[in-house]
Amino acid sequence: MREEKAASQFKEMWHMLIQNKAAVVGMIIIIVLILIAIFGKYIQPYDPNVGELSQSLQAPSKAHILGTDEQGRDIFSRIIDGTKISLRVGIMAVAFALSIGTVLGAVAGYYGKKIDMIIMRFMDIILAFPSMLLAIAFMAALGRGIDKAIIAISIVTIPEYARIVRGSILSIKESEFVQAARVIGNSDASIIFKHILPNVISPIVVRATLGISSAILDTAALGFLGLGVQPPAAEWGSMLGSGRTYFFNAPHIVVFPGIAITITVIAFNLFGDGLRDALDPKLRN
């Protein structure tokens, strides 16, 4: 009976999601980006990290459809290769932040009192600093590189998930089904992870989807400042950073990576907004 109800709710959610044209467009773009990230190496016309200085700063042409950069590397190949890096950082940073934030928020909301105060005050301290400034500080301490960027971006976004989970748990932890679980002797861990969290999954999923776009933007910002993915790896933000010097002579070096970032961020935002509406039971009804 419970499985049939869950299947029915999923069908309703999916039906509402595909009725949202903007969300469908975002979902299609995301699927295409994932396919590019997986199979991109088979469609790259050139090695993204190897160029010829004699071919530098060439405008878009038949040989190089998006032109070449200051080192003669094919921009189209580098943008394709950068898709893999940007999605990897975005998804892994959100996964790490979501895992830690969910546990901290669940513990704070369920137990309350001193535990809640200690955890949430620590979260407030992190939120008191601008996220990008704090990420830069962590990068300065940890060093440069893609793995360091994932850690830095995830740490600064943990409080967002912790606050969402805590607020959701506070609203339902005194519900009848939670009280019944306590009466029959379920442990606190079982109540939190088996009975409470499944009922607050909707806002978490929506925030995680939107959080990927934010993480991709943060990755691009760190790369632009020279703190993220290091050369010769192709990352959209670092492509912007290295190409800004040649903007007036060869604007395509900056324009095309910027378009890639914009399209990706908009796609995740459109899909996240549609998912939020589809998961809202009031709108479904």
Side-chain angles (χ1 to χ4, degrees), residues 7-253:
S8 176
Q9 291 176 344
F10 178 79
K11 288 181 180 179
E12 290 179 11
M13 182 205 73
W14 177 253
H15 180 68
M16 186 168 184
L17 181 64
I18 61 176
Q19 284 185 324
N20 188 324
K21 294 182 179 179
V24 171
V25 170
M27 182 172 60
I28 292 173
I29 294 174
I30 291 171
I31 293 173
V32 170
L33 289 171
I34 292 173
L35 292 175
I36 290 174
I38 296 173
F39 302 107
K41 62 182 179 180
Y42 300 110
I43 61 176
Q44 293 170 357
Y46 301 93
D47 188 322
N49 299 323
V50 177
E52 297 181 15
L53 291 177
S54 61
Q55 303 292 322
S56 64
L57 302 180
Q58 287 193 355
S61 62
K62 290 183 179 180
H64 302 279
I65 60 174
L66 299 184
T68 60
D69 64 7
E70 71 279 5
Q71 296 185 30
R73 297 172 297 193
D74 184 66
I75 292 178
F76 178 67
S77 299
R78 288 181 63 76
I79 288 178
I80 290 176
D81 197 54
T83 304
K84 174 178 60 180
I85 296 175
S86 294
L87 290 184
R88 176 188 170 190
V89 175
I91 293 173
M92 292 188 67
V94 167
F96 182 81
L98 177 63
S99 302
I100 302 300
T102 298
V103 172
L104 292 176
V107 171
Y110 184 79
Y111 290 104
K113 299 180 180 179
K114 289 184 177 180
I115 295 178
D116 181 26
M117 183 184 69
I118 293 171
I119 294 176
M120 297 316 297
R121 293 302 75 77
F122 184 68
M123 297 295 103
D124 290 340
I125 291 173
I126 297 178
L127 288 172
F129 297 92
S131 60
M132 181 48 58
L133 182 62
L134 194 58
I136 292 173
F138 280 120
M139 290 297 294
L142 296 172
R144 302 176 181 182
I146 185 171
D147 295 334
K148 310 298 191 306
I150 292 172
I151 295 173
I153 293 171
S154 61
I155 289 176
V156 301
T157 54
I158 285 175
E160 299 179 16
Y161 300 101
R163 290 170 71 91
I164 292 173
V165 173
R166 174 184 177 271
S168 299
I169 286 181
L170 286 175
S171 65
I172 67 169
K173 72 174 185 178
E174 300 301 332
S175 300
E176 292 181 359
F177 70 91
V178 177
Q179 298 292 343
R182 289 197 188 102
V183 170
I184 63 177
N186 285 332
S187 64
D188 290 342
S190 176
I191 293 174
I192 292 173
F193 291 101
K194 291 185 178 180
H195 298 280
I196 296 180
L197 284 181
N199 289 278
V200 301
I201 197 70
S202 296
I204 301 174
V205 170
V206 172
R207 184 64 192 89
T209 305
L210 296 173
I212 293 176
S213 66
S214 299
I216 291 173
L217 271 179
D218 290 343
T219 304
L222 291 173
F224 182 83
L225 296 172
L227 298 173
V229 181
Q230 297 302 294
E235 192 275 319
W236 297 336
S238 62
M239 291 173 67
L240 287 175
S242 62
R244 68 183 185 274
T245 307
Y246 308 93
F247 178 73
F248 294 103
N249 296 328
H252 62 276
I253 298 180

